Amino acid sequence: MNALRKRLPFSSYSDAYVLPSIIRCETNLYVAQFAFMKLLPAKYIIEQALARGTLTYGMTVLETSSGTFALGLAVVCREYGFQLEIFTDPVMDKGLENRLGSLGAKVFMITEKAKQGGHQRSRLDALDARMRQLGQSCFWPRQYETPDNPAAYKLFADQLAEMVGPDITLVGSVGSGGSTCGTVERLRQKAPGARLIGVDTFNSVIFGQQDGERKLRGLGNSLVPKNVRHELYDEVHLISAPLAFAATRTLHERHAVFAGPTSGASYIVGRWRARQYPEEIIVVICPDEGHRYVEAAYDCEWLKQNGNLNEDDLLDAPATENHPSTALPPWNRYLWKRKSREAVLNVLEQVS
């Protein structure tokens, strides 16, 4: 058993589920499956704030989230006895909203989109107004910009280094940037050649696409988070929602790994990489389990109604694009080569 997990009996739910299970799928392909990955940074950010005194008992925790970072905060705030308020938008599924309410969180649904930045901008504006109202009696974790987000993943990186070694190819979806950047930065302290492949979706601005509607949730962004350190990425893959849904089902059918669509998106990239580079050890980050998607990605009728790919149509390889801004669905690969976002975007401007 991993020495990092020898802490039984656990004193809380968050202690028990903060680290993933490492599962071997093929000779050189592993998945790191979290119950829900955002519990790790949520727990770390709250505990660091308590240690510094920036969060004290009686204060209200505020955050903007439409996914499992909200759930992570709800778990930790319940354990520590803090009131939590979440500013979200209609993309949050009812099951998650209900679970947040059960844990005592107040959920504020922001329905109008800002002209620039979409729902993410309007959620931030609503949170800012609430902070002004509460004054000094509130704490904002700031998942997209606090250095405590990537720092939280040192524990995960140490787990990987112990179990499979630090010289790996890490494949993970990119939303806030915390998991991929924080993990590989720690790994490269021991193995500078450790490789990082970021997985995003089309119409996400993080790696240079134009902002637009995204059917694949849990990755991508309408704003570029400060915690995305572009110079850490070796490659970037863009995956469409239909392909991610099909890959999610394939991951379950072939390996019994019950995960969500962001895991499927990363899995298809990791599987391709493992076959192209058999000398590498590939680790795919699976951010959550599949329970929230039983009536979507795991439902055949839902997939048919939404025009999604069948497993038989699952692509074996990506197209390699000259620039991520011009990449088209269903799957494109760009060799980022550890450059800044500005350097990559300037290449397109010079060509055009």
Side-chain angles (χ1 to χ4, degrees), residues 21-330:
S21 298
I22 309 300
I23 303 164
R24 189 176 189 177
C25 291
E26 296 179 11
T27 303
N28 64 326
L29 176 63
Y30 296 80
V31 299
Q33 186 174 28
F34 288 83
F36 59 105
M37 184 178 68
K38 294 298 183 73
L39 178 62
L40 177 57
K43 182 177 176 67
Y44 187 83
I45 291 169
I46 293 297
E47 291 181 345
Q48 289 297 303
L50 283 168
R52 296 183 187 119
T54 52
L55 173 62
T56 58
Y57 288 98
M59 295 174 68
T60 299
V61 178
L62 310 177
E63 186 56 283
T64 169
S65 172
S66 61
T68 53
F69 188 68
L71 181 58
L73 284 175
V75 168
V76 178
C77 286
R78 171 57 78 191
E79 291 176 350
Y80 278 96
F82 287 104
Q83 177 61 55
L84 173 65
E85 297 182 3
I86 293 294
F87 294 83
T88 189
D89 62 71
V91 75
M92 176 181 282
D93 63 87
K94 192 64 178 176
L96 177 56
E97 184 180 354
N98 289 341
R99 189 170 178 188
L100 292 173
S102 178
L103 288 167
K106 294 181 179 179
V107 178
F108 296 91
M109 191 68 62
I110 311 302
T111 57
E112 292 188 11
K113 289 184 178 181
K115 291 183 178 180
Q116 291 187 333
H119 275 126
Q120 285 170 314
R121 179 73 263 165
S122 58
R123 281 163 28 188
L124 284 167
D125 291 343
L127 184 148
D128 182 65
R130 178 62 170 156
M131 286 185 67
R132 291 197 302 271
Q133 185 181 45
L134 293 175
Q136 299 296 316
S137 63
C138 65
F139 171 73
W140 179 17
R142 298 176 183 266
Q143 66 156 322
Y144 292 113
E145 57 189 76
T146 176
D148 285 339
N149 182 348
Y153 290 91
K154 291 178 181 178
L155 186 62
F156 171 48
D158 290 344
Q159 179 192 21
L160 291 178
E162 181 180 318
M163 295 186 73
V164 298
D167 188 15
I168 64 173
T169 298
L170 184 70
V171 181
S173 57
V174 185
S176 71
S179 61
T180 49
C181 294
T183 305
V184 83
E185 190 170 30
R186 178 71 165 185
L187 290 171
R188 285 176 183 167
Q189 292 176 4
K190 301 178 181 180
R195 297 151 298 278
L196 177 61
I197 299 178
V199 180
D200 200 359
T201 190
F202 298 92
N203 299 329
S204 163
V205 304
I206 295 176
F207 294 101
Q209 288 243 312
Q210 291 294 312
D211 187 28
E213 181 182 359
R214 296 185 297 277
K215 294 183 179 180
L216 184 59
R217 311 303 302 184
L219 73 170
N221 215 303
S222 295
L223 303 170
V224 181
K226 292 182 180 179
N227 275 329
V228 178
R229 295 182 55 196
H230 294 82
E231 68 276 10
L232 295 177
Y233 295 90
D234 295 285
E235 288 186 19
V236 172
H237 289 241
L238 300 178
I239 301 290
S240 69
L243 183 57
F245 294 144
T248 302
R249 292 170 62 92
T250 299
L251 175 61
H252 186 238
E253 290 168 2
R254 294 187 181 182
H255 307 293
V257 176
F258 186 50
T262 51
S263 300
S266 295
Y267 164 70
I268 191 174
V269 173
R271 188 184 70 170
W272 173 81
R273 180 80 183 194
R275 294 174 180 178
Q276 292 294 310
Y277 299 90
E279 74 283 1
E280 295 180 4
I281 295 175
I282 315 299
V283 178
V284 173
I285 300 175
C286 292
D288 63 355
E289 296 178 334
H291 305 288
R292 294 172 58 203
Y293 316 100
V294 170
E295 296 181 354
Y298 289 96
D299 186 274
C300 293
E301 287 303 314
W302 185 91
L303 291 172
K304 289 178 182 178
Q305 292 172 8
N306 286 271
N308 292 295
L309 291 172
N310 295 316
E311 284 82 356
D312 294 339
D313 300 323
L314 200 63
L315 300 182
D316 290 325
T320 299
E321 191 58 51
N322 291 328
H323 197 273
S325 65
T326 58
L328 297 172

